[in-house]
Amino acid sequence: MTMNSAENRGPEQLRYEAEPDWLTELRKRGLDAARTLQLPKLDKTKLQRWPLGQQGVCRKPEPASSLDELPDSIRRWVYADDVLVQRNSGPIIKHLTEALQKQGIILTDLETATRLYPELVKPYFMQALHTEENLLTAQHAARWSGGAFIYIPEGVHVETPLQTIFFVDESDTLFMPHVLVVAEERSSVTLVENTMSSLENSVGVNQAVMEVFVGKGAQVNVVSLHQLERDLIDLTYRRAIVEQGGTMNWLIGEMNGGKTMSDTASLLKGEGAGSDLKTILVGSGSQTMNITARTMHFGKNSTSDMVIRAVMREQSTAILNGITKIEKGASGANGQQTEKILMLHPGARGDANPILLIDEDDVKAGHAASVGQVNPEQLYYMMSRGISRVEAERLIVYGFLAPVVAEVPLEGIAAQMQALVEQKLGQVKEIDQASIVE
C-alpha cells in the first residue's frame, strides 16, 4: 500500500488500496492544481528559501498490538486511554473504549473512515481548507496519508480527552497527516494532538492539516503540541467552522526546533458562535517561526479572543500575525487579540502584527502588541532578594507565559507543555517523561 514518489507519479496513480472514487478524484484535482499554484505569501518570510522538496515516499507501518510496542520516546507521551498513533505515513495503534463506541463516537484513521463512513466524511473533508488555496494545500489534497477522523454524535459529551499522536522516525518519508473533527449539535469533546519526530540530522517536512466542524451549541477543545526536531520543517494549517452557539477553543504549543509556519483560523458562521485561541511558542537557535492566528466573524453576537505569547532565544526569529475580521452583518460581534514577544538574547528578533478589519458598525474590537527584552529592573529586584539570575529569568518567563499555560484544562497536558517549554529554554537537557505521565 504505497504511493509512488513525486517524480514518477501520474494522475492515474493517485490511489491508495480500496480508496473510494470520490477521494481519488480529489487527489487528482490537487495534483492538477499543484502544477499552477504558488507557495503562500507570508509577511516577512519567504517560503521559497525553505528546503520544501523533501516530501518523501509513503511508508506504511506494521500495526502494533499494544502501546508497549511503541518506542519509549513516543509511548511516554501517551496521555489518554482513547488514542490513535500514526507512525510515518500510516496508523500503528487505534484504541477506543467500548463505552465510547456504544455512544456512536468514532476515532479511527482518516483513510479507513473514507471507506467505512463516507456519508460522515465526504461532506466535510477539505471544506474548511480548500484545495486551490495555494501550492501547499494542493499538495496536501493530493498526497495526504493516515490522519485521523473524530466523530461525536448529536448530544454526546465526551468526558475524557481523546488523543492523536503523529510521529516520524524514518528519513525520506511522506508525513502529511490530516485530522478531521466533526462535533454534531450540542456535543462536546477535547482532543489532544501531539506531533513529534525522532530523526537525527535528517531533513524532512510535515505538511499537516486539521479541520474542525463545530455544530450548533457544540464545544470542541483542541490542544495541539508540536515538537519536531531542528532539521524538520513544520507547515500546519488548522481551520474551524463554528455554527450557531458553538464554541471552539484552541490551545497551541509551537515547540518545534526548526522552521515553522502555522495558520490557525476560526470561522464564526452562526449567531453567538465563539472562539478562544491561545498560543505559546519558544524559539531557539537560528530558527524562523511565522505564526498566523485569524478569526472571521460572520454571525451576529459572535465573540473571539486571541492571546499569543512568544519567547525567543539566541538568534531565533518570530513573526506573529493576529487578524480579526468582522464581516458586514455581524452586528454585536466582539473580537479581541493580544500578541507579545519576550526576547532573551540581543540577537533574537520578534515582530508582532495585530490587524483589525471591520466592516460593521455595531461591534467591539481591540488589540494589543508588544516586543521587548527581559526588564533589567525586574531581574535586579529578584536577584537582590537572593534569587539567582537563572532562576529569576525562569520565573519571569513563566510569568510571561502564564496567561496561556494557566488555561490548560488538564493536569497531565499542563505538565507536557511545561516540560516542552523548559526543554526549549535549555533548562533541561532531556525531558523527564515519567513525570509527565504520572
Side-chain angles (χ1 to χ4, degrees):
M1 192 185 298
T2 60
M3 180 181 288
N4 291 349
S5 65
E7 308 88 66
N8 301 320
R9 188 183 67 241
E12 71 282 354
Q13 296 170 308
L14 276 173
R15 178 188 289 274
Y16 288 90
E17 183 179 334
E19 185 170 270
D21 291 340
W22 65 266
L23 184 53
T24 301
E25 289 302 315
L26 194 150
R27 291 192 187 277
K28 291 179 181 179
R29 179 176 146 195
L31 185 63
D32 291 340
R35 294 191 177 101
T36 59
L37 292 173
Q38 302 296 315
L39 289 168
K41 295 182 179 179
L42 304 181
D43 184 49
K44 300 180 181 180
T45 302
K46 293 186 177 181
L47 290 180
Q48 293 83 354
R49 297 180 179 177
W50 293 12
L52 301 180
Q54 306 293 327
Q55 290 185 343
V57 296
C58 189
R59 303 182 191 279
K60 298 288 187 176
E62 291 296 325
S65 59
S66 72
L67 293 172
D68 292 336
E69 297 181 33
L70 295 175
D72 288 345
S73 59
I74 304 301
R75 178 170 51 84
R76 291 171 179 171
W77 286 97
V78 175
Y79 172 82
D81 293 330
D82 302 288
V83 61
L84 178 144
V85 181
Q86 173 172 325
R87 183 174 192 171
N88 298 316
S89 306
I92 188 171
I93 288 283
K94 296 184 286 185
H95 182 263
L96 185 66
T97 55
E98 185 177 352
L100 295 189
Q101 292 182 46
K102 289 181 178 179
Q103 296 181 70
I105 296 166
I106 299 172
L107 171 62
T108 190
D109 66 284
L110 185 55
E111 288 181 45
T112 296
T114 62
R115 299 192 298 269
L116 298 184
Y117 314 105
E119 73 285 358
L120 298 178
V121 176
K122 188 176 179 180
Y124 300 102
F125 181 65
M126 293 300 292
Q127 296 302 306
L129 182 92
H130 300 298
T131 299
E132 289 84 2
E133 287 190 27
N134 56 59
L135 176 58
L136 297 180
T137 60
Q139 289 176 338
H140 182 92
R143 300 202 68 200
W144 69 273
S145 65
F149 177 62
I150 295 96
Y151 176 77
I152 312 300
E154 181 177 342
V156 173
H157 298 276
V158 186
E159 301 298 334
T160 56
L162 310 180
Q163 186 176 19
T164 58
I165 295 178
F166 304 99
F167 76 98
V168 57
D169 63 356
E170 288 189 67
S171 60
D172 189 31
T173 295
L174 180 73
F175 196 48
M176 285 194 188
H178 189 113
V179 177
L180 177 60
V181 181
V182 178
E184 300 283 12
E185 294 185 18
R186 304 184 312 281
S187 66
S188 65
V189 65
T190 294
L191 172 66
V192 179
E193 179 251 332
N194 295 81
T195 297
M196 58 190 72
S197 65
S198 179
L199 279 172
E200 189 173 351
N201 300 321
S202 294
V203 177
V205 181
N206 173 43
Q207 286 185 235
V209 168
M210 177 181 290
E211 296 183 285
V212 182
F213 293 85
V214 185
K216 292 181 179 179
Q219 177 173 311
V220 176
N221 310 308
V222 170
V223 180
S224 181
L225 303 177
H226 284 212
Q227 55 195 87
L228 296 170
E229 293 164 303
R230 183 186 62 186
D231 294 320
L232 275 78
I233 296 173
D234 191 5
L235 307 170
T236 296
Y237 285 97
R238 305 177 184 93
R239 295 278 174 84
I241 295 180
V242 188
E243 302 295 344
Q244 178 181 341
T247 302
M248 180 70 225
N249 296 319
W250 299 100
L251 183 60
I252 298 170
E254 303 285 9
M255 299 297 167
N256 295 314
K259 297 180 184 298
T260 300
M261 183 223 75
S262 74
D263 184 322
T264 304
S266 295
L267 285 70
L268 306 181
K269 298 186 67 175
E271 181 173 357
S275 172
D276 186 281
L277 192 157
K278 291 182 170 60
T279 299
I280 63 172
L281 54 144
V282 180
S284 61
S286 59
Q287 73 176 131
T288 298
M289 309 179 81
N290 190 301
I291 308 299
T292 298
R294 295 183 291 127
T295 305
M296 283 73 76
H297 292 254
F298 295 93
K300 295 181 178 180
N301 303 310
S302 51
T303 60
S304 69
D305 188 37
M306 300 181 203
V307 176
I308 308 176
R309 297 288 173 97
V311 177
M312 310 308 293
R313 300 177 59 219
E314 300 157 338
Q315 311 299 315
S316 59
T317 300
I319 297 98
L320 308 184
N321 306 297
I323 304 169
T324 300
K325 179 72 172 9
I326 300 180
E327 301 286 352
K328 185 67 176 177
S331 59
N334 187 347
Q336 305 294 326
Q337 58 168 288
T338 303
E339 295 93 42
K340 293 186 177 182
I341 303 176
L342 180 65
M343 293 180 291
L344 301 183
H345 189 278
R349 295 289 180 268
D351 191 359
N353 306 302
I355 299 172
L356 299 178
L357 303 171
I358 313 297
D359 289 335
E360 179 61 52
D361 295 329
D362 180 23
V363 300
K364 295 180 181 179
H367 64 73
S370 67
V371 179
Q373 297 184 354
V374 173
N375 189 327
E377 293 183 359
Q378 289 180 325
L379 276 178
Y380 176 78
Y381 175 82
M382 297 174 73
M383 292 170 66
S384 70
R385 296 299 187 269
I387 300 174
S388 69
R389 184 184 182 89
V390 172
E391 179 65 11
E393 283 190 346
R394 188 185 75 86
L395 293 173
I396 290 172
V397 167
Y398 278 106
F400 177 77
L401 297 176
V404 175
V405 178
E407 293 294 322
V408 180
L410 306 165
E411 184 176 346
I413 303 306
Q416 284 191 7
M417 184 170 286
Q418 181 174 338
L420 289 172
V421 169
E422 291 184 355
Q423 185 181 53
K424 283 301 301 275
L425 290 175
Q427 293 167 349
V428 292
K429 293 183 179 180
E430 186 172 322
I431 292 177
D432 180 3
Q433 303 285 3
S435 65
I436 291 174
V437 297
E438 285 179 354

